[in-house]
Amino acid sequence: MKKIIAFMIAASCIFTACDIDRFPSTSMAAENVTSDPVGSLDILLTGAYSQMKDWSDVMHRCGEYAGDNMMIRGSSTDAFFQFISYARTPNNGRLNTFWNNSYKVIAQTSNILKMVPESSPELNSKLGECYFLRGLMYFYLCRAYGRPYYQNPEKNLGVPIVNGTPEDLSNLVLPDRSTVKDTYEQAINDLKKAADLLSTNRGPAYASKEAAWAVLSRIYLYMSGSWDAPNAEYARLSIEYADKVISSGIYSLLNRADFMKYNTFEPESNKESIFVVKRMASEFVDYDHYYGIGGMYANIGGMGWGEMYASAKYIALLDETGRNDWRNDKIVDARAAFIEPQYAEAEQPVFRFIKNVYNAQNVQTNFNYVQADVKVNGNTATCEEVISGVTTTYTLKPVDLEQGIWSIDYTPDGKTYTGYIDQYITLNRVYPMFYIVKCSREGEESHLHSPIIARLAEMYLNKAEAAAKTGDYATALAALNIVRERSLPGKGYSSLTAANAEARIEKERTLELAYQAERSYDVYRNGRSLTRLYPGPHNAMEEVLPTDYRVVYYIPQNAIDAYPDGSTLTQNPTSN
C-alpha cells in the first residue's frame, strides 16, 4: 500500500485539543517528496508561512498594546484589552491563537527537517528557511511567555521544545517547558543553521541569511543584560550580527522623504525591510480591514474602528526636538508622519493641554486633555474653559511663540501646565483622535499592512545599544546618529556618555520602532519599569516593575488542559 507522509502543522494535542491542521493539503505522498523535493518543499513551506498571518496579528497586539506608545478610547470586551490593562488571564483567545500558530509553524518546519536530508544548495536553502522560521517562533514565544533573559535564565521557564509531531500519538508524552536559557539556545542554533544553509535571498517576505543574522542580533541584544548589569560578550555578538546585515549591501535606509511613506511601500519595493509577514489585499474582503492591525489605529476611507491613538507620551517624545505642526504640514521629526490628528473641519482655535485628574480624596488618579477655546492677539492669549456650566477665563503666558507653546496657571488644582495653541482635534469620548497610520495604507490599500519583523534601522539601533553596553560610546554614537539624523537632519547627538547613553538610545528606539511590537519588551529586558502617565482608561498611575508577574503572559489554559496524561505543562506564576 502506498505510504502516505502527513505533514501535520500540528500543535500536537498540546495546542488545540487534538485539532491537527494540515497545510496546504491533508497529505503528501512520500514519492512526491523524493521525486521533486524542491517543489514539494515550496508547497510545504507555503503552509508554514501561511500560519504566520494570524500569528503576526496577535504578535503585534501583545507586544505593542502592553507598551506606552498608544492609548485606547475606553475599555473593551475584546481579549486584546487584557494586554493593555495588564489583567492577565490564561483564557485569552488571542493568545491561544498566538501559541497555536507558533507551534504549528514549529511542527511543520520540524517535520520537513526530519524527512528531507541536506543535499544540493537549492534544497539546502529551503531547509534553511525551515530553520529560520522555527528559530523565530521559539524566540517570539519565549519573549512573550518567558521572563526577561537577565532574570535567572537557567531557572526561569521558557516554552516546551517540541521539534516535530511525535510519532506515537496514541501514547503521547510531551515535555514540560524548557528554561529560558535552553529556549534561547534552541532559537540561536536554528538561526545559525539557517544562516549557514540559506543561499538565496527571495526578498523580505521570505527567510534569508540576512534575516537570520538580523534576528540573531536582536536575540543577543536581549541577552546583553540590563543597563545596570550589562553582559559585554552577548553585546559584542549583537554588534557582530548587526554588522553582518549592514555590510551585506542588500539593504539601505530610505531617505527622509521616502521613510515618511514607509508604510505605503510594498515590502518587495522597500530596500529597508529585511523580513516581514507578507499580507495581500486578496486576503481581505469587504470589511475585513476593520479587523486588521491598522483597523484599531485609524479609520481610512470609512474603513477601520479608529479607537486607538498615539499616546500623549509618544506625541511629547516626537515634539522634544521641535513641535510637529500637523495642521500646517510642518513635520520636524520624520516619524511624526505616521501620526495623523483628526482636525475638525470647521476651524476652531483651542489651547490644548493635559491636566491632572483627582478623586474625591484629592489623590491623582489619571490625566485628561483640555481643548479650551482661545483668542490670540499678538503676544497675548486668553482661553475659556466651561466646567459644570461655569466659565473660567485664563490669561496664557508665552513659552515659545514661534512654536505656539504657552502655559496656563490652572485654577482648579493650582498647577501650571504647558500646551499648544492649535486647531480643535475631534474627540472620541474625551480623547483627541491622533490616528496612527504606520500599520496602514500598504500599496494605498486602506489598512493593508505586512507586519515588520526586522528592518535595517533596527540593526543600527541594536549596534548602538550593544556598543554602549560595552563602553564603546564612539561606535554607539555613530550608529545612533545614522538613524536619528535620517528623521532629524542636522540634529544628531553631539556626545554619548555613560550618563546619557541609556536615555538617548531608548528614546530613539521608542521613536523609531513604535508600532512594531517592540516597546514593552524593550523596557522589561533592560530591567526598567513601564509607566503610562498620560490620558486613557488604563491605570495611569501604575508602575509595572520588570519583576512583576504580569510582564509575561499566561500559558493558554487550552494548551495546559490538552496535555496528555503523564505530561505536565507548567503555568506561569499568578502573583509575585
Side-chain angles (χ1 to χ4, degrees):
M1 183 176 179
K2 181 186 298 184
K3 179 182 179 183
I4 300 294
I5 307 295
F7 283 86
M8 292 176 282
I9 310 174
S12 304
C13 292
I14 173 174
F15 315 119
T16 53
C18 297
D19 177 19
I20 299 174
D21 296 315
R22 303 164 187 257
F23 265 84
S25 57
T26 56
S27 61
M28 182 169 288
E31 58 266 30
N32 289 348
V33 177
T34 55
S35 64
D36 182 17
V38 173
S40 299
L41 273 149
D42 273 336
I43 295 171
L44 296 166
L45 274 167
T46 297
Y49 284 113
S50 294
Q51 294 297 333
M52 294 181 66
K53 298 180 187 296
D54 288 342
W55 170 89
S56 66
D57 181 280
V58 187
M59 176 276 295
H60 175 94
R61 297 179 199 273
C62 67
E64 195 61 50
Y65 293 2
D68 53 10
N69 294 327
M70 52 70 67
M71 55 82 64
I72 189 171
R73 63 156 194 170
S75 62
S76 173
T77 57
D78 192 294
F80 66 55
F81 189 73
Q82 295 168 5
F83 308 158
I84 301 169
S85 65
Y86 279 76
R88 301 293 186 241
T89 171
N91 298 307
N92 185 301
R94 288 186 179 272
L95 281 176
N96 200 48
T97 296
F98 177 69
W99 178 274
N100 290 345
N101 284 47
S102 296
Y103 274 104
K104 289 174 181 180
V105 173
I106 289 170
Q108 176 81 342
T109 54
S110 295
N111 289 341
I112 293 171
L113 293 171
K114 282 182 179 181
M115 173 107 183
V116 181
E118 295 176 27
S119 58
S120 68
E122 184 181 11
L123 182 64
N124 288 351
S125 197
K126 302 293 183 187
L127 298 177
E129 291 187 58
C130 293
Y131 280 111
F132 172 84
L133 295 178
R134 189 171 75 179
L136 184 71
M137 292 301 103
Y138 277 122
F139 172 54
Y140 272 74
L141 280 166
C142 196
R143 75 174 190 170
Y145 297 107
R147 297 208 63 82
Y149 196 86
Y150 81 93
Q151 296 177 9
N152 201 354
E154 296 88 356
K155 180 180 178 181
N156 289 330
L157 296 180
V159 296
I161 296 175
V162 186
N163 290 336
T165 305
E167 294 183 5
D168 187 357
L169 292 176
S170 299
N171 300 289
L172 194 61
V173 177
L174 294 170
D176 199 355
R177 298 165 65 189
S178 296
T179 64
V180 167
K181 181 180 180 181
D182 287 344
T183 309
Y184 269 62
E185 286 182 355
Q186 172 71 44
I188 288 169
N189 290 337
D190 279 347
L191 290 163
K192 285 182 175 178
K193 183 68 172 177
D196 288 341
L197 291 176
L198 279 157
S199 58
T200 303
N201 189 321
R202 298 198 284 160
Y206 300 95
S208 66
K209 183 189 300 289
E210 294 75 24
W213 291 338
V215 179
L216 282 166
S217 175
R218 190 191 302 170
I219 290 178
Y220 282 121
L221 191 70
Y222 273 55
M223 298 170 70
S224 68
S226 66
W227 282 105
D228 296 328
N231 184 304
E233 176 57 22
Y234 289 137
R236 184 192 65 78
L237 287 168
S238 179
I239 295 170
E240 177 183 324
Y241 282 102
D243 277 339
K244 283 177 178 285
V245 179
I246 293 167
S247 63
S248 71
I250 296 175
Y251 311 99
S252 58
L253 292 181
L254 299 180
N255 62 42
R256 187 179 192 270
D258 284 343
F259 174 63
M260 292 168 73
K261 300 181 291 184
Y262 191 105
N263 55 308
T264 68
F265 295 124
E266 295 181 348
E268 295 81 1
S269 60
N270 192 326
K271 292 294 290 182
E272 192 168 330
S273 294
I274 300 170
F275 184 70
V276 306
V277 179
K278 174 69 174 176
R279 304 306 304 268
M280 302 181 68
S282 59
E283 297 166 14
F284 298 88
V285 179
D286 296 328
Y287 286 87
D288 287 353
H289 276 302
Y290 265 79
Y291 300 94
I293 292 169
M296 285 304 300
Y297 291 143
N299 181 296
I300 297 174
M303 192 73 68
W305 305 103
E307 295 180 359
M308 290 182 180
Y309 314 124
S311 70
K313 183 176 183 178
Y314 188 72
I315 297 295
L317 206 59
L318 285 171
D319 284 342
E320 266 193 15
T321 308
R323 177 189 175 185
N324 294 281
D325 189 349
W326 288 278
R327 172 192 53 177
N328 295 312
D329 293 326
K330 293 180 180 178
I331 301 298
V332 177
D333 190 320
R335 293 162 293 205
F338 304 121
I339 310 300
E340 295 183 0
Q342 298 302 290
Y343 289 105
E345 290 185 10
E347 288 194 7
Q348 183 180 348
V350 294
F351 177 61
R352 185 170 52 255
F353 65 99
I354 294 172
K355 67 177 181 179
N356 298 343
V357 175
Y358 303 88
N359 62 15
Q361 290 73 44
N362 204 34
V363 175
Q364 186 178 354
T365 58
N366 212 313
F367 303 83
N368 206 354
Y369 285 94
V370 175
Q371 295 193 107
D373 290 343
V374 69
K375 294 179 181 178
V376 182
N377 183 8
N379 294 345
T380 303
T382 59
C383 72
E384 293 183 346
E385 183 184 28
V386 180
I387 299 178
S388 301
V390 177
T391 301
T392 304
T393 301
Y394 297 92
T395 298
L396 305 180
K397 297 177 181 179
V399 175
D400 187 329
L401 290 175
E402 183 179 354
Q403 297 195 72
I405 303 174
W406 300 70
S407 69
I408 183 172
D409 294 329
Y410 194 56
T411 303
D413 62 10
K415 302 286 186 180
T416 298
Y417 299 109
T418 300
Y420 292 127
I421 290 181
D422 197 1
Q423 294 297 324
Y424 182 86
I425 295 177
T426 303
L427 301 180
N428 191 331
R429 295 188 178 174
V430 295
Y431 305 113
M433 300 163 66
F434 286 92
Y435 279 177
I436 301 160
V437 297
K438 197 174 185 179
C439 301
S440 302
R441 294 204 182 105
E442 183 177 308
E444 305 298 338
E445 182 77 25
S446 75
H447 294 300
L448 183 62
H449 172 63
S450 295
I452 299 167
I453 303 300
R455 60 185 176 92
L456 186 60
E458 184 202 344
M459 297 302 100
Y460 288 106
L461 293 170
N462 289 356
K463 183 175 181 177
E465 180 181 329
K469 285 180 174 177
T470 68
D472 184 356
Y473 296 110
T475 296
L477 178 63
L480 188 64
N481 275 342
I482 286 172
V483 175
R484 178 174 171 81
E485 293 207 22
R486 189 254 299 269
S487 288
L488 292 159
K491 301 294 185 180
Y493 296 114
S494 60
S495 67
L496 209 62
T497 66
N500 63 25
E502 177 184 355
R504 290 182 171 181
I505 290 168
E506 286 303 303
K507 175 182 176 180
E508 296 309 317
R509 284 191 73 90
T510 301
L511 286 169
E512 187 72 22
L513 304 180
Y515 316 115
Q516 290 180 213
E518 300 297 325
R519 175 61 181 159
S520 60
Y521 300 116
D522 271 352
V523 172
Y524 299 129
R525 68 174 174 80
N526 268 317
R528 295 294 180 249
S529 300
L530 188 135
T531 58
R532 294 182 287 184
L533 304 174
Y534 56 80
H538 56 275
N539 186 350
M541 310 313 295
E542 181 180 31
E543 177 184 6
V544 183
L545 299 173
T547 53
D548 194 297
Y549 75 98
R550 297 169 299 167
V551 164
V552 296
Y553 293 102
Y554 287 139
I555 304 297
Q557 191 62 44
N558 284 357
I560 293 175
D561 292 344
Y563 243 55
D565 292 340
S567 299
T568 299
L569 181 55
T570 302
Q571 182 58 278
N572 277 322
T574 57
S575 64
N576 283 342

